[in-house]
Amino acid sequence: MTGGLVGSQTPLADRFDLALVDLDGVAYRGHEPIDGAAEGLTAARVRGMRLVFVTNNASREPESVADQLTELGIAAEPSEVMTAAQAAAQLLATRLPRGSKVLVVGGAGLVTAVRAAGYVVVESADDDPAAVAQGFAPEVGWPQLAEAAYAVGRGAWHVASNLDLSLPTARGFAPGNGSLVGAVRAATGVTPDSAGKPAPTMYDMAVERVGARETLVIGDRLDTDLAGARAGGYIGLHVLTGVSSARDDVLAVPGERPHLIGADLRSLLVAHPEPQQSAEGWWTVRGASARVLDSRLELGRGTPSTVEDEIDVVRAACAAAWAAVDGGAELDPTTVPELATALVQD
C-alpha cells in the first residue's frame, strides 16, 4: 500500500463491506449530532455496509454508547461498539494471569472490561496491584492519578487505554486521556503501554469479531485514527468534522496520511476521484489543481462552488505536497493555507 491518496470509482459504501467508525468528531461531537452522520451511515447500511464503532474513549460501556448513537438517529447495538477499554483488557491478558489485581483509573467502561477479562479491580496502590489500567473519565482527578503514580512507582505495569491529548466536545477541545496519563508519566518517569489507536489492536479485534472482505477505517484524527489505519494495513478515510483539518492533511507525515478524504460521513455515498499528475508538476482532481514550485504550494485558479469542489482542492493539494516531499523537495508550511474552511462546523 503506497503513501498517497487512492481513488474509488464506486461509492465507498458499495466497495467496502465493513466500516470501522470513530465516534467523537465523526459520528457525534460530545452529545451533539454532526451534520450528515446519521444520513451517511444509515444509507451506507442500506447498501450493505456493516458498521463497528471503534473509539479510544474508555469511559463508557458499549451499551451506553449504542444508546447515544441510537438517540442521534444512528441505529446501533452494543455488539457493534469496540472500545479502548476492551482493547486495554486484551493487552493486560498478554502478560497478566487471570485473577491478578489491577488498579483501574477511569470510568465504568474500563472497570467492566477489566473485570470481564478475569481481573480483580482495586482502587488503592496499597492493594499491591500488578498493573494500572488508565482510561479517560470526567470524574478522574488528583486522588486517582496519585494512586496510579504510587502503584507505578512501586513497579506496577502501566497500561493506558489510549494517549489522545485532547477530546472534542460541543464546547471545544478538552484534555483527553493522554493528558491525564502524562501526569502519571511525569510523576514516575515511566512510559506506559497503550492499547488504543494508533495501535491497530482495536481494528484487528473488530475485523476478527465480524469478519470482512474489505475494511474501511473512518476517523477525524490523523495521529490516531488514520495512523492506526496505516499501521494496520487498512484503507483510511479522513472526515473533516473533528480534530484534524484539511491543512493537516496536506502537511501530514507518511505514517499519518489518509487514503481518502471526505467532508463528512455522506462521503460514503459517493465515488472518490484519484489525483492525476499532469504537465509542469501540476496534480489535478477534476477541476481542481495544485503543485509545489520552489517550496511553495500553488493552487490552481477557480473558486470552488460545492462541497465536492472544496474536497477536490484538498485532494489535489495533498497529492502535490506529498509527491514533492516524498521526492526530496522541501515544502514551506507557511505557503499552505487553511483549506475547505467552509466545511468547518461551528
Side-chain angles (χ1 to χ4, degrees), residues 25-91:
V26 176
Y28 52 64
R29 185 179 294 104
H31 293 284
E32 299 297 325
I34 286 178
D35 286 347
E39 176 186 344
L41 293 176
T42 300
R45 271 202 168 117
V46 171
R47 292 172 180 258
M49 175 178 269
R50 291 173 295 169
L51 307 176
V52 176
F53 299 92
V54 182
T55 175
N56 261 0
N57 191 331
S59 65
R60 298 162 61 198
E61 296 172 304
E63 291 79 6
S64 174
V65 174
D67 287 345
Q68 180 181 352
L69 286 166
T70 301
E71 290 172 0
L72 294 175
I74 304 169
E77 299 292 333
S79 61
E80 295 175 316
V81 178
M82 177 74 66
T83 73
Q86 294 167 306
Q90 179 169 305
L91 180 57

Side-chain angles (χ1 to χ4, degrees), residues 219-232:
D220 70 304
R221 297 183 69 119
L222 299 185
D223 60 346
T224 55
D225 306 320
L226 282 308
R230 289 279 179 185

Side-chain angles (χ1 to χ4, degrees), residues 99-133:
S100 299
K101 295 178 182 178
V102 177
L103 172 62
V104 173
V105 176
L110 187 56
V111 171
T112 297
V114 171
R115 281 183 176 152
Y119 298 108
V120 177
V121 173
V122 300
E123 297 181 354
S124 171
D126 294 338
D127 292 319
D128 296 322
V132 172

Side-chain angles (χ1 to χ4, degrees), residues 6-344:
V6 301
S8 181
Q9 296 181 352
T10 60
L12 301 181
D14 295 337
R15 171 179 169 182
F16 297 91
D17 61 322
L18 173 64
L20 307 181
V21 187
D22 183 52
L23 290 175
D24 286 310
V26 176
Y28 52 64
R29 185 179 294 104
H31 293 284
E32 299 297 325
I34 286 178
D35 286 347
E39 176 186 344
L41 293 176
T42 300
R45 271 202 168 117
V46 171
R47 292 172 180 258
M49 175 178 269
R50 291 173 295 169
L51 307 176
V52 176
F53 299 92
V54 182
T55 175
N56 261 0
N57 191 331
S59 65
R60 298 162 61 198
E61 296 172 304
E63 291 79 6
S64 174
V65 174
D67 287 345
Q68 180 181 352
L69 286 166
T70 301
E71 290 172 0
L72 294 175
I74 304 169
E77 299 292 333
S79 61
E80 295 175 316
V81 178
M82 177 74 66
T83 73
Q86 294 167 306
Q90 179 169 305
L91 180 57
L92 288 171
T94 64
R95 282 174 48 178
L96 296 186
R98 292 173 63 88
S100 299
K101 295 178 182 178
V102 177
L103 172 62
V104 173
V105 176
L110 187 56
V111 171
T112 297
V114 171
R115 281 183 176 152
Y119 298 108
V120 177
V121 173
V122 300
E123 297 181 354
S124 171
D126 294 338
D127 292 319
D128 296 322
V132 172
Q134 183 174 354
F136 175 80
E139 63 269 22
V140 170
W142 186 90
Q144 293 83 11
L145 296 176
E147 290 299 323
Y150 300 147
V152 172
R154 297 172 188 174
W157 179 25
H158 193 189
V159 172
S161 64
N162 70 289
L163 298 175
D164 291 3
L165 293 175
S166 62
L167 180 70
T169 73
R171 296 176 60 193
F173 296 108
N177 193 55
S179 296
L180 301 178
V181 168
V184 178
R185 179 168 48 199
T188 63
V190 176
T191 299
D193 291 318
S194 176
K197 299 173 281 187
T201 306
M202 287 193 293
Y203 296 156
D204 296 339
M205 289 172 60
V207 172
E208 182 179 356
R209 176 188 290 185
V210 304
R213 169 182 49 79
E214 192 168 7
T215 300
L216 177 69
V217 169
I218 308 172
D220 70 304
R221 297 183 69 119
L222 299 185
D223 60 346
T224 55
D225 306 320
L226 282 308
R230 289 279 179 185
Y234 300 103
I235 297 292
L237 166 65
H238 180 211
V239 290
L240 302 175
T241 50
V243 174
S244 298
S245 67
R247 184 175 185 273
D248 293 331
D249 283 336
V250 177
L251 297 173
V253 297
E256 298 181 0
R257 293 172 182 168
H259 300 88
L260 299 157
I261 301 170
D264 53 44
L265 286 172
R266 286 171 291 200
S267 60
L268 292 173
L269 312 178
V270 298
H272 287 242
E274 185 173 0
Q276 302 295 320
Q277 188 171 16
S278 58
E280 298 181 344
W282 289 98
W283 286 82
T284 63
V285 181
R286 291 185 289 216
S289 59
R291 69 176 178 179
V292 174
L293 184 64
D294 297 330
S295 302
R296 298 181 59 84
L297 177 68
E298 297 182 353
L299 301 178
R301 297 179 179 178
T303 301
S305 58
T306 68
V307 168
E308 277 302 298
D309 289 344
E310 292 261 14
I311 297 300
D312 283 347
V313 172
V314 178
R315 292 168 176 145
C318 285
W322 299 353
V325 171
D326 292 350
E330 293 186 1
L331 172 62
D332 182 353
T334 66
T335 68
V336 181
E338 294 294 341
L339 300 166
T341 53
L343 306 180
V344 178

